[in-house]
Amino acid sequence: MGNYGMYDGELYSHESHDIKDHELRFHLKPPGSYICNDCKMPDDTNPCLKCPYEKCEFVIHKICYKTMPDSTHSHKFFKCKFTFHHNPIPNRGDVYCDACGDDISGYSYRCDCPNNYHDLHPTCAHIPEGSTRKTEKGTILELKDKENSKCLLCRKKYPVESCIRFTGWKWVARKRDWGFPFCFSGRKICYHLKCKNKIEALRR
C-alpha cells in the first residue's frame, strides 16, 4: 500500500482520537514503541500516526487510519473475501489472526465464510503480495502459508502453542537459497510472521 498522499511529519485529524483538537503527526518510520489504538497490535515497522502532544499516547497504524468500515479485501492465501470491521465481531468468542496467531481485540478483517471463517489484523492483511524479506546474510524470504517447518527464531512449528496444527504465515527461503548449514541438514530457513515482526521492530 502507498502512503495515500501522506507526507512524513504532516498533521492529520482522525475521528477515533478522543481529544478532537489534537491532530496526528504522520511518521513514515515509527518513532518508538507503541500499541496501535485501533487494532491493539504492538509496534512494528509499519508507518503510523502519533499525537504530538507529550502527555498523549494516541498512536494508530497508517493502514488502520485509512481503511474505511465495511471495505473489502482479498488475499491470495484465501478464496473468500474479507470485510473490514471497526468494532469487535459479536458472538465469536476468542478470535485470533490467521496470519500471525495473535489475538484480535480491535480493528480487523473477517471473511464471509459462514462456517470456517478467517480473521486478519489489518497490518497482516495488507502485506503486499509478492513482498520479500532478507536475512542478515542476504537470503531472500518469501511469505508462505501452511508451511510446517519450525521457526528458526522460536524453534517451534506453531506460533501459538494453544492452537495445535495452526502454522500461520511464515517467511521461507527458496530451497536453492538455504545455504550452509541448512543445505546439509535439510532444515528450511523459516520464520513465523510474528517472530520476524518482533525482530525487525527491535532492529529499526
Side-chain angles (χ1 to χ4, degrees), residues 38-41 63-64 67-73 82-90 95-98 102-111 118-126:
D38 289 349
C39 73
K40 312 303 181 186
M41 286 296 290
I63 291 170
C64 297
T67 308
M68 300 299 294
D70 299 323
S71 59
T72 58
H73 181 70
F82 288 80
T83 301
F84 188 72
H85 296 273
H86 273 191
N87 299 313
I89 309 298
V95 180
Y96 64 87
C97 175
D98 281 77
D102 281 334
D103 292 341
I104 289 180
S105 54
Y107 285 12
S108 67
Y109 281 97
R110 162 62 53 85
C111 80
H118 303 285
D119 299 273
L120 294 171
H121 292 120
T123 50
C124 294
H126 285 283

Side-chain angles (χ1 to χ4, degrees), residues 144-149 157 167-168 170 172 188 190:
K144 301 288 185 181
D145 187 25
K146 298 180 175 63
E147 174 59 59
N148 287 317
S149 298
K157 181 183 294 186
T167 58
K170 294 177 182 176
V172 184
K188 291 185 178 181
C190 175

Side-chain angles (χ1 to χ4, degrees), residues 11-202:
L11 294 172
Y12 301 87
S13 60
H14 186 51
E15 61 182 12
S16 70
H17 194 356
D18 294 335
I19 306 177
K20 300 302 180 182
D21 60 341
H22 282 198
E23 292 186 308
L24 307 176
R25 190 177 303 281
F26 177 64
H27 297 272
L28 192 57
K29 294 183 178 180
S33 297
Y34 68 91
I35 292 180
C36 176
N37 185 79
D38 289 349
C39 73
K40 312 303 181 186
M41 286 296 290
D43 63 303
D44 50 30
T45 56
N46 286 283
C48 66
L49 293 99
K50 183 179 187 301
C51 184
Y53 288 85
E54 184 177 351
K55 294 184 179 180
C56 184
E57 299 181 351
F58 186 96
V59 190
I60 182 174
H61 289 123
K62 177 197 69 176
I63 291 170
C64 297
Y65 173 85
K66 275 294 185 179
T67 308
M68 300 299 294
D70 299 323
S71 59
T72 58
H73 181 70
S74 59
H75 197 281
K76 66 177 182 179
F77 292 155
F78 303 96
K79 296 180 180 180
C80 47
K81 184 176 291 185
F82 288 80
T83 301
F84 188 72
H85 296 273
H86 273 191
N87 299 313
I89 309 298
N91 303 321
R92 288 294 178 95
D94 295 332
V95 180
Y96 64 87
C97 175
D98 281 77
C100 70
D102 281 334
D103 292 341
I104 289 180
S105 54
Y107 285 12
S108 67
Y109 281 97
R110 162 62 53 85
C111 80
D112 55 9
C113 299
N115 297 315
N116 187 27
Y117 56 86
H118 303 285
D119 299 273
L120 294 171
H121 292 120
T123 50
C124 294
H126 285 283
I127 296 174
E129 291 191 19
S131 61
T132 59
R133 295 289 188 273
K134 282 187 178 181
T135 66
E136 290 184 334
K137 295 184 178 181
T139 301
I140 302 297
L141 304 173
E142 300 173 328
L143 194 62
K144 301 288 185 181
D145 187 25
K146 298 180 175 63
E147 174 59 59
N148 287 317
S149 298
K150 289 184 178 180
C151 171
L152 294 180
L153 292 174
C154 70
R155 307 294 182 181
K156 298 176 182 178
K157 181 183 294 186
Y158 309 113
V160 183
E161 286 301 307
S162 60
C163 298
I164 302 301
R165 301 183 66 83
F166 168 73
T167 58
W169 297 357
K170 294 177 182 176
W171 292 105
V172 184
R174 295 166 293 188
K175 188 171 183 178
R176 66 174 183 269
D177 296 328
W178 285 8
F180 179 83
F182 304 102
C183 57
F184 292 104
S185 66
R187 292 179 59 198
K188 291 185 178 181
I189 300 176
C190 175
Y191 306 95
H192 288 130
L193 174 62
K194 64 180 295 183
C195 294
K196 190 67 173 170
N197 285 347
K198 290 178 181 178
I199 293 298
E200 290 181 351
L202 290 172

